[in-house]
Amino acid sequence: MRFDTLEAWLDWQAALHPRTMELGLDRVRAVWRRLEHGPFACPVISVAGTNGKGSCVAMLEATALAAGYRCGTYGSPHLVHYNERIRIDGEPVDDAALIGAFDRIDQARGEISLTYFEFATLAALDLFARAGLDLVVLEVGLGGRLDAVNLIDADVAVVTSIGLDHTDWLGESVDDIAREKAGIFRPARAAVIGQRDAPAALREAALGCGARPLQLGVEFDRHGAEAGWEWQGPDGRRHALPLPAMRGEFQRDNAAAAITALDALRERLPIPRNALRQGLGRARLPGRFQVLPGTPSHILDVAHNAQAAAALATNLRAFASRGLAVRVVLAMLADKEPEALFAALADQVTHWYLTETDDARAMARETLRARLGAAGLAAEDCSLCADPAEALARADAASEGEDCVLVCGSFTTVGAALRVLGHG
């Protein structure tokens, strides 16, 4: 075995491939073939989307577990611990399981170079193939067509939403991005589209490859805005559903998409009514408008693009409706556009605490300040902080009563905050 600790394996993987990111299926397909697992015996659901895919995955997992099924779930990136990426029966796999999977992949790959994400994806698939599962749920990392997760032919593919993000990799228009994400659709299988106003290119791509499109507002829908809402699908209805545990109107769209995906598998994986209600009520995902009560309260959200920023602003407006002061700890990656967050949140924010994480791709805090100024926000409304720990300390010290501190901008920002606040 090359290494005997998870940390050593991950450090080595991070430097193995000449590029941090390289899309394409040839490398992972060749290694998967050498591992000799063959097709999964259980159903597989793949979930892509600009926003909402993690929430949808969490709802699928929670519902399957409530129904008594063994479920394997893969998602990325992690917030605090790498093990969060791969869960079996709702629990992160342990270091020993990951090390064993990494060793098997290393032995099988020979001279094939793999990226950090490709190692993670193959490890998840290897562990799931050995676990005797009833359902596998895979979150697509980037795009769809050339993402390593697309190695597997999913029985049901879900695209939660399409927005502008990762344009350097996926294309400059929403139609370009839609076509890339539609790459997870398969002929004669359900293609769930969880967005009413999805780009036409997404549905066209589903039809073009021979998939069976199921789109929110067309083949399925939801009715009612409060507890007791209803899902209506091609072959039935589900009544008296609870609100999803995760906040936001958009989470009901994600819930409707998850129900539709499971309904498409009802012959192989029937879900009792009570299990569906329990799953929606139990599904939670750290870093998605996660509220940590206290004085001040802390809100953690991984929002980092325009679509997510708009949803965050709506949730924040409802949460802080009592006129509370809102202080924002913000750090972002260099390829993102902070202007989207500034525009969405500016009218609710008392003060910005601009910082940066230790991520190699982090945007410099000075750059954040310059772009905040260019967006027309006053310099006196922001402070520069060396790291998230300092930013949190200063925001907390300035808060009083029922004020709240919002941490947002990236997964690494929220992960750092969770560690500082003792939740990691």
Side-chain angles (χ1 to χ4, degrees):
M1 183 175 291
R2 189 181 294 271
F3 304 106
D4 58 7
T5 67
L6 180 58
E7 183 179 10
W9 273 105
L10 297 178
D11 288 344
W12 173 74
Q13 290 171 26
L16 173 64
H17 197 70
R19 297 183 182 88
T20 302
M21 184 186 303
E22 185 172 3
L23 298 178
L25 299 178
D26 291 344
R27 295 180 303 278
V28 289
R29 185 174 285 129
V31 177
W32 183 243
R33 191 179 299 118
R34 293 179 187 181
L35 287 167
E36 299 182 341
H37 284 306
F40 281 99
C42 67
V44 177
I45 302 175
S46 291
V47 184
T50 303
N51 295 296
K53 56 186 177 179
S55 299
C56 186
V57 166
M59 293 177 192
L60 289 167
E61 177 189 50
T63 302
L65 294 176
Y69 294 119
R70 300 203 66 216
C71 182
T73 309
Y74 173 57
S76 64
H78 60 277
L79 285 173
V80 180
H81 302 292
Y82 183 92
N83 312 59
E84 299 166 21
R85 294 176 179 234
I86 305 171
R87 298 190 299 276
I88 294 178
D89 291 337
E91 296 296 328
V93 298
D94 60 25
D95 287 8
L98 280 166
I99 289 170
F102 289 156
D103 183 57
R104 289 188 291 274
I105 295 163
D106 191 30
Q107 296 295 325
R109 73 181 182 88
E111 297 303 314
I112 298 174
S113 179
L114 296 170
T115 67
Y116 186 89
F117 179 75
E118 289 168 342
F119 249 101
T121 303
L122 287 166
L125 297 176
D126 175 76
L127 290 169
F128 295 162
R130 296 166 177 270
L133 301 174
D134 300 305
L135 176 67
V136 168
V137 182
L138 305 174
E139 179 185 343
V140 176
L142 178 66
R145 181 175 64 94
L146 297 175
D147 187 273
V149 167
N150 203 33
L151 165 70
I152 302 299
D153 294 325
D155 297 277
V156 178
V158 181
V159 175
T160 53
S161 68
I162 301 292
L164 285 175
D165 201 10
H166 300 295
T167 53
D168 289 347
W169 294 93
L170 304 181
E172 294 292 334
S173 72
V174 290
D175 281 342
D176 289 339
I177 293 170
R179 282 186 281 268
E180 285 296 315
K181 294 188 184 295
I184 68 171
F185 296 155
R186 293 295 189 272
R189 299 184 182 182
V192 179
I193 300 171
Q195 183 179 6
R196 292 180 192 278
D197 59 349
L202 187 61
R203 187 179 182 91
E204 290 167 3
L207 292 168
C209 77
R212 181 166 62 96
L214 299 169
Q215 183 172 354
L216 180 65
V218 184
E219 287 82 13
F220 74 96
D221 213 335
R222 64 174 178 87
H223 305 284
E226 304 299 332
W229 65 281
E230 175 185 286
W231 171 88
Q232 179 180 348
D235 300 306
R237 297 171 182 265
R238 295 293 183 106
H239 303 279
L241 296 169
L243 292 178
M246 291 177 279
R247 298 169 185 257
E249 175 75 16
F250 60 94
Q251 294 292 5
R252 288 163 227 177
D253 289 349
N254 293 330
I259 295 170
T260 305
L262 291 168
D263 185 67
L265 295 172
R266 63 186 179 277
E267 298 299 325
R268 299 174 65 185
L269 204 78
I271 303 293
R273 291 174 182 263
N274 285 342
L276 179 57
R277 295 188 180 102
Q278 290 171 14
L280 294 179
R282 292 174 182 173
R284 288 174 173 78
L285 198 60
R288 278 67 166 187
F289 209 82
Q290 178 183 4
V291 179
L292 303 179
T295 307
S297 57
H298 294 94
I299 302 170
L300 310 177
D301 199 294
V302 297
H304 57 267
N305 56 47
Q307 192 180 51
L312 170 58
T314 300
N315 273 341
L316 183 62
R317 189 167 286 108
F319 181 85
S321 60
R322 294 166 293 175
L324 310 178
V326 178
R327 293 174 174 81
V328 176
V329 172
L330 178 67
M332 301 189 72
L333 300 183
D335 64 340
K336 302 303 176 185
E337 297 183 359
E339 291 80 5
L341 280 163
F342 297 152
L345 299 174
D347 65 342
Q348 300 183 67
V349 175
T350 304
H351 198 83
W352 301 85
Y353 296 83
L354 307 179
T355 186
E356 60 192 82
T357 67
D358 57 6
D359 192 306
R361 300 172 296 156
M363 182 180 292
R365 54 189 178 273
E366 293 84 0
T367 302
L368 266 178
R369 180 170 62 181
R371 293 177 71 165
L372 184 144
L377 300 178
E380 61 266 24
D381 291 336
C382 74
S383 301
L384 292 188
C385 304
D387 54 36
E390 179 189 334
L392 274 166
R394 292 176 64 177
D396 286 357
S399 299
E400 57 186 26
E402 295 185 333
D403 291 352
C404 63
V405 174
L406 167 65
V407 181
C408 60
S410 76
F411 280 82
T412 54
T413 310
V414 169
L418 284 168
R419 287 188 288 270
V420 170
L421 296 170
H423 290 264

